[in-house]
Amino acid sequence: MTNSIKRIDLAIVRAEENDIADCSKLIFYSEIGSLYYPQLAVLESQLHKAVANEELYTAKSIDKCLFGCLWFLKNGAFYHYPYLHFIVVASEYRHLGAGQQMLDFFEQFTLINGKHKLRTKVFLLVADINTKAARFYENNGYIKVGKIDALFRKSIDENLMMKTVIRKPINKENNVYTS
């Protein structure tokens, strides 16, 4: 018997103010939320800023069911490189490809189709206790470049991860690139 993974089609779009309540609940009740956001009001305040800065995106199905969200900063790492703050997938929709689709979107949006054609690196942090996430990112070409002890929480160390994307022009006339 073979294991087959069912994949879903998602629309990944910039979040709007009316998405904040759903996104905040999804994040707050996730593993990330339980570690880093002890108060829902603090998280909601940060999400309002993320929406205003066009940094929060949602992954929804055709019927508008929220599968997950991602938050990234276009110039977040060293004020130059894209930084993935997090990807959160609703627990009932994990292993359906939503996380992969959101990661692909992040890389495509910030590097491949972005206006900064010279950028070839993206960064993120993964808590040392989040081994599943670390393995997911490693399987997608990210490498650990350093460890930061107790960055956000005294008992949790963070691993700085980076991916280098090599872009090749496929249509120089229209400035179209691929990774």
Side-chain angles (χ1 to χ4, degrees):
M1 184 165 159
T2 61
N3 288 339
S4 63
I5 297 175
K6 179 182 173 188
R7 296 194 61 88
I8 50 171
D9 290 323
L10 296 176
I12 300 173
V13 297
R14 190 175 53 207
E16 298 177 359
E17 285 291 320
N18 61 358
D19 293 314
I20 290 176
D22 290 337
C23 287
S24 63
K25 288 177 186 142
L26 174 66
I27 297 163
F28 188 74
Y29 294 108
S30 71
E31 295 89 347
I32 288 175
S34 66
L35 290 173
Y36 298 107
Y37 298 101
Q39 297 177 342
L40 186 60
V42 171
L43 173 61
E44 287 178 344
S45 173
Q46 290 180 350
L47 292 182
H48 281 286
K49 291 175 187 174
V51 167
N53 293 329
E54 300 180 355
E55 299 169 343
L56 184 67
Y57 287 74
T58 61
K60 295 180 181 179
S61 64
I62 294 169
D63 62 357
K64 306 294 184 201
C65 177
L66 181 67
F67 277 70
C69 55
L70 67 151
W71 183 356
F72 61 85
L73 308 167
K74 296 172 193 167
N75 301 311
F78 316 110
Y79 288 100
H80 186 72
Y81 296 101
Y83 169 76
L84 179 60
H85 190 53
F86 62 68
I87 290 175
V88 177
V89 177
S91 59
E92 63 270 27
Y93 302 120
R94 292 193 183 140
H95 308 291
L96 298 176
Q100 184 67 57
Q101 289 179 56
M102 287 189 280
L103 182 62
D104 293 344
F105 172 85
F106 162 69
E107 293 173 1
Q108 190 76 23
F109 184 85
T110 59
L111 292 176
I112 308 304
N113 293 335
K115 62 183 175 181
H116 303 288
K117 298 296 182 199
L118 298 177
R119 291 186 184 162
T120 58
K121 294 179 181 12
V122 290
F123 291 85
L124 56 88
L125 290 170
V126 175
D128 63 351
I129 60 173
N130 196 348
T131 56
K132 288 180 183 177
R135 191 169 35 256
F136 170 73
Y137 292 118
E138 288 169 354
N139 289 340
N140 279 280
Y142 287 78
I143 58 168
K144 180 181 169 186
V145 293
K147 179 179 169 187
I148 305 170
D149 296 336
L151 180 63
F152 299 113
R153 297 289 181 261
K154 290 179 185 177
S155 61
I156 302 171
D157 297 332
E158 303 290 335
N159 293 305
L160 179 63
M161 299 186 82
M162 176 187 77
K163 179 176 181 178
T164 301
V165 176
I166 300 171
R167 290 183 282 127
K168 305 169 207 123
I170 57 174
N171 184 336
K172 290 182 183 179
E173 292 174 14
N174 293 328
N175 227 10
V176 177
Y177 290 79
T178 186
S179 59

